[in-house]
Amino acid sequence: QVQLVESGGGLVPAGGSLRLSCAASRSIFSFNAMYWYRQAPGKQRELVAAITSASSTNYKDSVKGRFTISRDNTKNTVYLQMNSLKPEDTAVYYCNADRVLAGTKYTYWGQGTQVTVSS
């Protein structure tokens, strides 16, 4: 069973920074890609950033230039550096990973970490 454990959330004033971490229980090379999602109260979960096994990245438009996703393969960890935070970034942030085994896609989720940005 694959486990993803997020950490690094908290309360920060607008304009501040946080770095989220997602530690995997197995080599992250085994995943096709890893993702950060977020879900604000009363809203649907949305994709924030993605990084492939080749370290290609993609971002939601509203976070481009402020957030950076990265990976440390030696630590089996993916990070989300969040700068210039805004109140609308407030949400629970989830780590997600997927891989394909014998033609079947498997998806894994972490438990989430709360990010609160005060105005």
Side-chain angles (χ1 to χ4, degrees):
Q1 181 72 7
V2 175
Q3 290 187 324
L4 302 175
V5 179
E6 302 100 333
S7 61
L11 173 64
V12 62
S17 298
L18 284 174
R19 188 178 80 156
L20 306 183
S21 300
C22 172
S25 60
R26 63 177 298 130
S27 171
I28 59 176
F29 276 121
S30 65
F31 302 126
N32 298 323
M34 297 189 73
Y35 311 85
W36 284 100
Y37 284 78
R38 69 186 181 189
Q39 187 167 19
K43 295 188 177 181
Q44 290 190 333
R45 193 170 296 189
E46 61 182 9
L47 178 62
V48 175
I51 187 165
T52 69
S53 56
S55 294
S56 295
T57 59
N58 197 21
Y59 297 93
K60 178 180 173 62
D61 284 347
S62 63
V63 308
K64 285 180 180 177
R66 299 189 298 122
F67 290 11
T68 302
I69 189 171
S70 62
R71 56 192 290 153
D72 185 336
N73 296 324
T74 65
K75 296 182 179 180
N76 295 326
T77 300
V78 172
Y79 303 98
L80 185 68
Q81 178 67 44
M82 306 186 295
N83 299 328
S84 301
L85 282 161
K86 304 175 181 181
E88 51 264 42
D89 295 318
T90 295
V92 178
Y93 283 70
Y94 297 91
C95 181
N96 172 269
D98 60 59
R99 60 175 176 158
V100 177
L101 292 174
T104 300
K105 183 177 179 179
Y106 295 87
T107 299
Y108 308 98
W109 290 93
Q111 83 287 352
T113 186
Q114 176 70 48
V115 171
T116 303
V117 184
S118 62
S119 57

